[in-house]
Amino acid sequence: MTTLLIHAGEAGAEGPGPRTGGVPLVPPGFAWPTCRACGGALLFLLHLPLGAGTGAGEDGVRGRGDVVSVFLCQNDPGMCDDWDATAGANRAYLFAAAGLAPAAVPERGETRLGAVSALRAEEVAAAGFPEALDAWADDDAASLLVRGQLGGAPAWIQGDETPHCPGCATRMAFTAQLEEGYDFSTSANFGGGGIGYVFHCADCRDAAFLWQR
């Protein structure tokens, strides 16, 4: 089985469900991340709850009651290395879901997408993302609704770039992959037709993001 992430219309800017855009939900004391290259505030991209409970699921994603939050630099697309997991032009966090509240959004910089897009998870009887996409979408219009994949194995464009956790040096667990956006207002720039990949380390409470095209 493969779990697809499907575009589910507009969402509230501070909604607790899976979404791209809006305002991040963060723990007390959170400081909005900035780009190591240009110094500008990063754009908030993804709020992805990973489920509730006490044990991790078979895909390594569900079951911890955690949230992954992803940011990347869009202040001058193409000038900062926002595709790189370690260059400092993007940032991913793994938060405990309890006690999160809307962040204070910086007044300057490209910090928010043009629209907020809800995501819903749908399981498809297929071995991987390409097969699941073909099985779920029977035409091009339907395929645009498929915004990515939750868990499973990444569908790499350029080859395996799984990051290693900076805390324990082990390969991070694949969490999700994300298409650029449903339309212009919901899209970040992954180089034009690229795919973003999210990873996390549950033990070290860390996460990482990169994209390929």
Side-chain angles (χ1 to χ4, degrees):
M1 299 292 285
T2 296
T3 303
L4 296 179
L5 292 171
I6 308 297
H7 174 73
E10 295 183 2
E14 301 176 359
R19 57 181 165 86
T20 57
V23 176
L25 304 182
V26 299
F30 176 81
W32 195 283
T34 57
C35 177
R36 188 186 303 165
C38 71
L42 299 185
L43 177 140
F44 172 63
L45 175 64
L46 176 67
H47 174 86
L48 184 64
L50 301 185
T54 57
E58 290 182 358
D59 57 12
V61 171
R62 301 179 184 85
R64 291 188 60 94
D66 293 333
V67 171
V68 168
S69 191
V70 177
F71 299 75
L72 78 163
C73 185
Q74 298 283 270
N75 293 299
D76 193 0
M79 299 305 293
C80 301
D81 294 343
D82 54 291
W83 59 85
D84 192 306
T86 61
N90 69 56
R91 186 72 169 88
Y93 299 88
L94 182 66
F95 298 138
L100 299 182
V105 181
E107 295 182 359
R108 300 182 64 181
E110 294 293 329
T111 57
R112 296 177 62 178
L113 291 174
V116 186
S117 179
L119 302 172
R120 63 179 175 85
E122 184 171 329
E123 290 191 342
V124 177
F129 179 75
E131 296 83 1
L133 177 61
D134 288 343
W136 191 89
D138 54 11
D139 56 37
D140 290 343
S143 69
L144 290 175
L145 296 174
V146 179
R147 304 316 320 138
Q149 170 185 315
L150 180 65
W156 295 108
I157 295 176
Q158 296 184 8
D160 190 342
E161 290 189 274
T162 300
H164 288 76
C165 175
C168 64
T170 60
R171 283 167 61 92
M172 301 181 95
F174 175 63
T175 310
Q177 69 182 51
L178 195 66
E179 304 283 336
E180 282 190 335
Y182 176 68
D183 55 23
F184 181 79
S185 65
T186 64
S187 295
N189 183 356
F190 297 164
I195 295 177
Y197 304 89
V198 184
F199 299 83
H200 76 283
C201 177
D203 291 335
C204 295
R205 310 298 301 159
D206 207 350
F209 173 79
L210 60 97
W211 60 260
Q212 296 181 346
R213 69 174 295 276

